[in-house]
């Protein structure tokens, strides 16, 4: 018979070390007696007869996890049961944990479940109270909690992830965890007196708790299944439970008896009518909304809204503002915009007569050193902006809609279309004639001068056709 | 927290409590950044339970309970005489952060009565979420109510800050909506749901964040004449067409200052519970909605037995099922066997032949399963087909079960 004495609490290190030695020496479970040592004043000592020179033991990952999760349990048999499983797993039964019906596996799984539940309840039911600090110092909080098992180490990293910017300590009968903003430290156990006796928000929280309870659904048994009485003494809101339960039925009876009431208020006809007129009625209103909304793509200094006469005959839709547009807050004022201006001028279109806007109203970019490089908006991002573009069209009622490049076509039609093939007059929308051409930035990106010149000529030709189509549409409308 | 603010909190929590949804689940795992607070995990946490057995996870409040709408079932309808209050955006942000830091809550669930206009109201809701994220580096859970009458661009913004969006359909039929909620329109609600579905799916495909915990809705049980089969058909349709994560059911509950148009009686909690069970069958047990409807009486679910057992009793020719041989799909149909128990059975039987003692360790409700399954040492014989099987399986006092 070998006796293995482990430290009180969750002695994972001691258990691991013992298991290595026992498996290396080939000691079967029935020849081991697992005991827990008296708390030592001098820290952990070597675990009983266990050797400290045994090689590490490779266990299947699910078994290693089971060990880690069950060791914090209080059941004195946990080490023996775990060793029984480890022994069988290392002796030909590698898949043992898959047999949830095995009596030992079953018991260990129940223990694991209780430990997990205990950790979960700690995450749920810890109640921090603020500690007074001098002005300018970081806020400090403290909580007292009584877990069932030795879970302090396993449960507290959660609070670091959640309350990183706070300084806090959680005091328990099994130890203290303290976060100073950088390191999580564990110390000796404490008492309830180590924590403030109240907090300025507890009355508000309790008021919330009382009000969110619906007396017509009272079911205290169900509540206790989830939140056992043992937790109540450390939860400020629980002080109201007995009163809420006691008064529930009379509150419901009163509601049923009092029955329907006659409305005392008059019908707010004016407000109701005003409510329905919320849609922006002018470009100025719409643009104010766009400007006050944050970017729907990451980045951007400001929104860049459309520019031009309220009822322009032709509307040009680009992709998104670029670096210069983002700084100036106006569309088509960068290199591509200047090229568009030139082409329009050559074709006899006055920029002041048309409406220029973008599918996406904010600059999306990647920072490379000091430069902000244009990043193409995704299809989803384009759809975020689609509603604004559609409202612009409704308000302007143009005679011709020109899509400059693929993103504009996508925004107007919801479809990806190859520009080179679709170039020319096109049905973009039900209500307005359309025209597709390239985005002027495409011309800037062409590598050699010859190609640039040819493409520019074609672009100016497009502008001429656009000019003619615009004129034709206007005279048609005038004739009607 | 001063008394005036506490008083408002009480009014606006009371006004929000008839919304059953409280889940803080479905968000991707996040943790607080440097100098910030807030984290989320996949399943969420219930931080307390009220004596109705319901979980308190999120701070569930209205921005205001003033409302221009006049929905008969709603405590906040404009013709009700309840006490009114209104929070400022900053007040909601401050209370949320203060409660969160004390570990009272998992996050915020914010809704509102319609004031001034749907757009104005929705803007305020978005502003709260945006301030929490931007000014406080807050990464905890946020659930925002979408106001379907608001302009679509506001929905586009809400999803950037919220983990979950929801629009409550409330009544399962268009006629019900028309008669009880005169300002609402089924078409508007469904258009908003459709818009949210598109954005959520696009963002997922593009690995951006837009309402990452999806969208949900709520149906009221027992306010109008809709049958359970109506409710479940609407539910299945909503899952199918709008890819909702959850449909919540809320038993119509007596409210102070009620209208004479609606029943003043105890909430149909048992019915609500059966609907949740049926919903569970739709989502996790591969049941079709018509299969469940076929096991109702006049469109109503059996209040004495759960819908899976009701279906099994009407389809006895499909039983008994051999736990050592049957497909997973068929095991899921055995009354009393939950999805987790079925998974354990399927794993364990690769290594061993299962007997009754084994099954007792795998399933918590084996007694109900016995007439429907075969194990190495068990065969139900004629008991599957006994005429009085239903009577033998009815639990004496049908118990109220948990909302999740």
């Amino acid at each position: 018979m070998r006796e293995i004495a482990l430290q009180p609490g969750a002695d994972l290190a001691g258990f691991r070390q013992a298991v290595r030695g026992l498996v290396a020496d080939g000691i079967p479970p029935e020849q081991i007696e697992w005991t827990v040592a008296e708390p030592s004043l001098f820290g952990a000592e070597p675990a009983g007869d266990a050797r400290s020179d045994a090689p590490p033991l490779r266990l299947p990952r699910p078994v290693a996890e089971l060990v880690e999760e069950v060791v914090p349990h209080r059941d004195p048999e946990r080490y023996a049961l775990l060793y029984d499983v480890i022994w069988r797993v290392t002796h030909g039964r590698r898949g043992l944990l898959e047999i949830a019906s095995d009596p030992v596996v079953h018991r260990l799984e129940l223990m694991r479940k209780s430990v997990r539940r205990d950790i979960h309840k700690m995450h749920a039911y810890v109640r921090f109270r603020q500690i007074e600090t001098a002005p300018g110092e970081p806020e400090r909080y403290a909580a007292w909690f009584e877990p069932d098992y030795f879970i302090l180490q396993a449960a507290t990293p959660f609070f670091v992830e959640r309350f990183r910017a706070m300084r806090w300590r959680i005091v328990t009968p099994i130890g203290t965890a303290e976060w100073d903003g950088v390191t999580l430290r564990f110390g000796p156990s404490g008492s309830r007196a180590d924590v403030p006796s109240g907090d300025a928000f507890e009355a508000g929280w309790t008021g919330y708790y009382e009000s969110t309870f619906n007396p017509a659904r009272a079911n205290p048994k169900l509540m206790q299944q989830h939140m056992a009485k043992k937790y109540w003494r450390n939860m400020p809101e629980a002080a109201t439970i007995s009163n809420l339960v006691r008064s529930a039925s009379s509150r419901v009876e009163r509601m049923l008896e009092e029955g329907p009431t006659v409305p005392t208020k008059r019908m707010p006809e004016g407000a109701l009518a005003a409510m329905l007129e919320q849609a922006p009625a002018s470009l100025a209103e719409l643009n104010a909304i766009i400007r006050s909304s944050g970017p729907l793509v990451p980045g951007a200094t400001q929104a860049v809204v459309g520019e031009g006469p309220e009822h322009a005959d032709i509307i040009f839709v680009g992709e998104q503002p670029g670096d210069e547009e983002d700084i100036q807050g106006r569309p088509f004022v960068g290199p591509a915009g200047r090229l568009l201006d030139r082409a329009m001028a050559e074709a006899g279109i006055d920029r002041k007569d048309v409406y220029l806007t973008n599918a996406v109203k904010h600059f999306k970019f990647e920072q490379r050193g000091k430069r902000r490089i244009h990043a193409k908006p995704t299809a989803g991002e384009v759809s975020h902006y689609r509603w604004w573009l559609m409202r612009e069209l409704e308000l302007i009622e143009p005679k011709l809609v020109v899509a400059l490049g693929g993103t504009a076509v996508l925004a107007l039609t919801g479809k990806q279309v190859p520009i080179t093939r679709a170039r020319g007059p096109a049905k973009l929308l039900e209500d307005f004639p359309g025209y597709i051409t390239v985005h002027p930035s495409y011309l800037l990106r062409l590598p050699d001068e010859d190609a640039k010149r040819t493409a520019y000529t074609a672009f100016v030709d497009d502008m001429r056709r656009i000019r003619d189509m615009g004129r034709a549409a206007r005279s048609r409308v005038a004739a009607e | 927290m001063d008394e005036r603010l506490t008083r408002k909190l009480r009014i606006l929590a009371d006004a929000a409590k008839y919304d059953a949804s409280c889940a803080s689940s479905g968000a991707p795992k996040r943790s607080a950044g440097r100098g910030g607070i807030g984290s989320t995990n996949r399943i969420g946490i219930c931080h307390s339970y009220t004596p109705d057995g319901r979980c308190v996870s999120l701070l569930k409040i209205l921005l205001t309970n003033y409302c221009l709408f006049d929905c008969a079932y709603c405590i906040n309808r404009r013709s009700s005489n309840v006490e009114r209050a209104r929070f400022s955006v900053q007040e909601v942000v401050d209370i949320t952060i203060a409660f969160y830091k004390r570990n009272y809550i998992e996050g915020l669930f914010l809704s509102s009565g319609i004031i001034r206009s749907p757009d104005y109201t929705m803007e305020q809701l978005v502003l709260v979420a945006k301030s929490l994220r931007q000014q406080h580096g807050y990464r905890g859970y946020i659930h925002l109510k979408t106001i379907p009458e608001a302009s679509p661009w506001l929905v586009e913004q809400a999803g950037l800050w919220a983990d979950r969006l929801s629009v409550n359909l409330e009544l399962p039929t268009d006629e019900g909506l028309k008669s009880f909620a005169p300002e609402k329109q089924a078409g508007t609600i469904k258009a908003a749901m459709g818009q949210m579905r598109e954005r959520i799916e696009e963002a997922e495909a593009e690995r951006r964040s837009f309402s990452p915990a999806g969208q949900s809705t709520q149906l009221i049980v027992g306010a109008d004449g809709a049958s359970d089969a109506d409710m479940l058909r609407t539910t299945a349709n909503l899952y199918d067409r709008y890819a909702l994560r959850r449909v919540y059911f809320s038993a119509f509950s007596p409210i102070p200052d009620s209208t004479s148009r609606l029943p003043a009686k105890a909430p149909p909690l048992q019915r609500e519970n059966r609907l949740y069970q049926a919903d569970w069958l739709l989502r996790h047990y591969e049941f079709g909605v018509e299969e469940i409807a076929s096991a109702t009486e006049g469109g109503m679910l059996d209040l004495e037995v759960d819908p899976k057992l009701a279906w099994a009793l009407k389809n006895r020719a499909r039983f008994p099922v051999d736990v050592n041989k049957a497909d997973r799909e068929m095991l899921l149909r055995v009354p009393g066997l939950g999805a987790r128990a079925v998974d354990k059975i399927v794993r364990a039987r690769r290594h061993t032949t299962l007997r009754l003692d084994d099954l007792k360790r795998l399933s918590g409700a084996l007694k109900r399963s016995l007439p429907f399954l075969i194990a190495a040492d068990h065969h139900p014989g004629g008991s599957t087909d006994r005429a009085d099987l239903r009577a033998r399986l009815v639990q004496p006092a049908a118990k109220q079960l948990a909302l999740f």
Side-chain angles (χ1 to χ4, degrees), chain A residues 407-446:
Chain A
T407 302
V409 177
L410 174 68
L412 291 163
T413 64
K415 290 186 206 109
Q416 306 264 12
V417 176
I419 297 305
T420 39
R421 232 184 300 152
R423 196 165 182 165
K427 190 164 178 69
L428 293 168
L429 293 159
E430 209 49 55
D431 300 336
F432 314 103
Y435 194 97
I436 296 177
T437 180
V438 295
H439 193 278
S441 66
Y442 160 78
L443 307 175
L444 295 173
R445 282 198 308 271
L446 286 171

Side-chain angles (χ1 to χ4, degrees), chain A residues 313-314 344 347-350 353 399-400 463-479:
Chain A
D313 290 336
I314 306 174
M344 284 199 298
I349 301 175
D350 191 339
D353 291 340
K399 315 237 163 19
L400 180 64
M463 291 300 140
R464 292 203 179 94
R465 290 182 73 184
I466 289 164
R467 174 202 64 198
D468 294 343
M469 283 173 73
R471 278 184 194 155
R474 186 170 34 182
S475 46
R476 206 164 42 241
V477 173

Side-chain angles (χ1 to χ4, degrees), chain A residues 127 164 199 378 384 387, chain B residues 32 47 102 156 206 272 361:
Chain A
R127 297 285 181 262
R164 202 180 296 281
D199 184 280
T378 64
H384 281 315
W387 310 97
Chain B
H47 284 268
R102 285 155 182 78
E156 305 290 343
E206 294 169 4
E272 177 192 278
R361 287 188 284 263

Side-chain angles (χ1 to χ4, degrees), chain B residues 126-143:
Chain B
V126 173
L127 207 55
V128 169
K130 195 171 159 180
S131 320
L132 280 169
R133 297 277 193 237
Q134 290 194 323
Q135 285 163 24
H136 294 269
Y138 167 81
R139 293 201 185 153
Y141 200 89
I142 300 179
H143 178 164

Side-chain angles (χ1 to χ4, degrees), chain B residues 293-366:
Chain B
S294 73
T296 58
E297 293 295 337
M300 298 305 275
L301 293 165
D302 192 330
L303 290 182
E304 287 183 330
V305 299
D306 68 81
K308 196 161 125 185
L309 179 54
W311 180 85
L313 288 166
K314 291 212 169 166
N315 293 274
R316 299 195 205 186
R318 313 265 304 258
F319 298 96
V321 168
D322 188 336
V323 291
N324 285 299
K325 290 181 191 147
D327 294 346
R328 183 172 185 277
E329 288 66 36
M330 200 54 217
L331 286 175
L332 285 172
R333 303 236 159 187
V334 176
L337 285 190
R340 253 186 244 173
V342 167
D343 289 338
K344 284 184 194 165
I345 288 172
V346 171
R347 263 201 304 275
R349 72 186 184 184
R350 288 190 208 125
H351 304 273
T352 179
T353 305
L354 297 168
R355 311 170 69 83
L356 272 193
D357 274 344
D358 296 319
L359 291 175
K360 273 182 204 149
R361 287 188 284 263
L362 297 178
S363 161
L366 195 64

